[in-house]
Amino acid sequence: MISLSCEPTMLPEQRDTQTPWFSEVYEPAGTAQSWRLTAARLDARRTPYQHIEIFATESYGRLMSIDGCVMLTSRDNFLYHEMMTHPALFTHGQPRDVVIIGGGDCGTLREVLKHASVRSAVQIDIDEQVTRLAEIYFPELCVSNSDPRARLLFDDGLAWIKHAPDASADSIIIDSTDPIGPAEGLFGPGFVSDCFRVLRSGGLLVQQSESPLIHQPLIKGIRENMRQAGFTDMRTLGFPQPCYPSGWWSATLAVKGDHSLDAFREQDSRARSFETKYYTAACHRGALTEPPFLRKVLQESGL
Ligand code: AG3
């Protein structure tokens, strides 16, 4: 006999109405998602850029929100951070110099530094407080921060990339918030063409591209910017992300020069020397096939 450990939903009169909840109300989709908390808010900082808060949830571990939007939870951030990093770095022949725009929680940085070929990883987040809070509440993401290959800068990514030398990076990963507030410019055509200039031939751009289900116009816009900038092949890789609106998220990859995203180092990926919790060569291969509903929308714009 299989015993189910899931208790049925509580009846209203049994509910604990005293325990606090965190809810992200996501107006654009008319949805909300909530987590029951185990304590009052752990921390909060109002910075010149945004309002960062930290909560302790009952079932997802710690949760960081920025301006009311969930950025990550302890339980499921591995999905996002692995998929923002490994497909791109296993597509490049030998990624050496990697730039992370945003990513202040250092989760992407940790994944990037798992690649032995990487000799420099520069992270440029506008808000130092994101990193300072991650060090306290998500120390597992910050384990590689003192790696000699890592450089943590607190600066405006838009301005940084403008001044970066031509052909100086093998991969640029845009690990940003939603396209509002300080991150808005990171979704603009000017920034994407600066990234194109800064990448070497064969270089990979990765942009967090929101939900394939509810943000199709945005994904179209991201890909139009990439195409306009001169990128040849582009692909939107979907992955589950329970803590974000719709529970589903994506990373859009673009390659510079005459390369195809279908050709990744599958053998190296299979024989990788580090652990991942979601990413595998097979899931990489599978994610390269865009689902028909998304393909249709992109095809309409010749993307
Ligand atoms: N970056 C993507 C956050 C977008 C979430 N949007 C939302 N909850 N409305 C997260 C940074 C992780 N390194």
Side-chain angles (χ1 to χ4, degrees):
M1 235 274 265
I2 299 168
S3 94
L4 297 174
S5 61
C6 281
E7 291 297 325
T9 304
M10 268 181 204
L11 296 169
E13 58 272 23
Q14 298 171 317
R15 265 186 216 132
D16 169 6
T17 52
Q18 298 310 303
T19 318
W21 291 71
F22 169 87
S23 296
E24 174 175 344
V25 175
Y26 190 67
E27 290 295 346
T31 60
Q33 192 178 1
S34 307
W35 286 260
R36 188 156 47 211
L37 305 178
T38 56
R41 190 171 66 181
L42 297 180
D43 216 326
R45 298 196 191 164
R46 207 172 276 283
T47 75
Y49 309 103
Q50 51 210 358
H51 188 203
I52 317 168
E53 299 174 279
I54 308 284
F55 299 92
T57 72
E58 187 180 287
S59 55
Y60 276 63
R62 302 237 165 104
L63 181 155
M64 179 191 283
S65 70
I66 293 185
D67 295 336
C69 297
V70 178
M71 289 298 114
L72 68 147
T73 77
S74 315
R75 186 170 183 179
D76 72 352
N77 76 80
F78 67 92
L79 296 154
Y80 176 96
H81 290 135
E82 290 183 9
M83 291 303 281
M84 286 291 286
T85 305
H86 303 308
L89 297 197
F90 278 121
T91 300
H92 194 282
Q94 192 187 27
R96 286 162 164 266
D97 302 305
V98 179
V99 174
I100 301 162
I101 305 286
D105 55 66
C106 305
T108 297
L109 179 67
R110 184 188 69 174
E111 295 306 311
V112 165
L113 291 168
K114 288 180 178 174
H115 289 257
S117 65
V118 170
R119 61 182 181 191
S120 89
V122 192
Q123 175 186 293
I124 306 107
D125 196 296
I126 200 164
D127 196 342
E128 179 170 358
Q129 291 312 312
V130 175
T131 303
R132 299 286 94 100
L133 286 165
E135 286 165 344
I136 301 169
Y137 298 103
F138 298 90
E140 69 281 13
L141 301 184
C142 298
V143 287
S144 302
N145 290 7
S146 48
D147 186 308
R149 299 173 294 160
R151 204 147 57 95
L152 275 65
L153 306 177
F154 302 106
D155 209 342
D156 176 3
L158 276 173
W160 190 91
I161 214 84
K162 226 179 239 339
H163 299 116
D166 294 2
S168 54
D170 297 314
S171 185
I172 300 174
I173 303 176
I174 311 167
D175 180 3
S176 70
T177 55
D178 292 338
I180 37 166
E184 203 176 330
L186 303 179
F187 290 82
F191 175 71
V192 175
S193 60
D194 280 334
C195 289
F196 184 81
R197 178 185 60 73
V198 171
L199 284 169
R200 300 187 178 114
S201 172
L204 275 299
L205 180 67
V206 185
Q207 179 149 33
Q208 83 82 1
S209 46
E210 312 270 306
S211 167
L213 191 68
I214 59 179
H215 298 118
Q216 289 160 16
L218 179 82
I219 293 174
K220 237 161 75 170
I222 287 172
R223 302 228 343 198
E224 268 157 12
N225 286 344
M226 289 171 165
R227 187 174 56 186
Q228 216 180 78
F231 288 99
T232 39
D233 199 9
M234 295 165 287
R235 210 64 61 84
T236 299
L237 280 61
F239 51 88
Q241 191 59 63
C243 73
Y244 292 164
S246 87
W248 197 5
W249 220 245
S250 67
T252 296
L253 270 62
V255 64
K256 175 173 177 171
D258 192 16
H259 298 269
S260 160
L261 290 166
D262 283 311
F264 69 100
R265 291 183 289 119
E266 210 158 339
Q267 199 38 46
D268 291 352
S269 163
R270 244 184 256 116
R272 69 196 175 283
S273 58
F274 52 84
E275 231 181 82
T276 52
K277 295 205 269 185
Y278 180 74
Y279 174 86
T280 59
C283 109
H284 182 160
R285 173 64 60 209
L288 287 171
T289 304
E290 289 156 340
F293 78 88
L294 183 62
R295 193 81 297 287
K296 185 163 179 258
V297 172
L298 295 170
Q299 213 143 35
E300 282 162 7
S301 310
L303 289 160

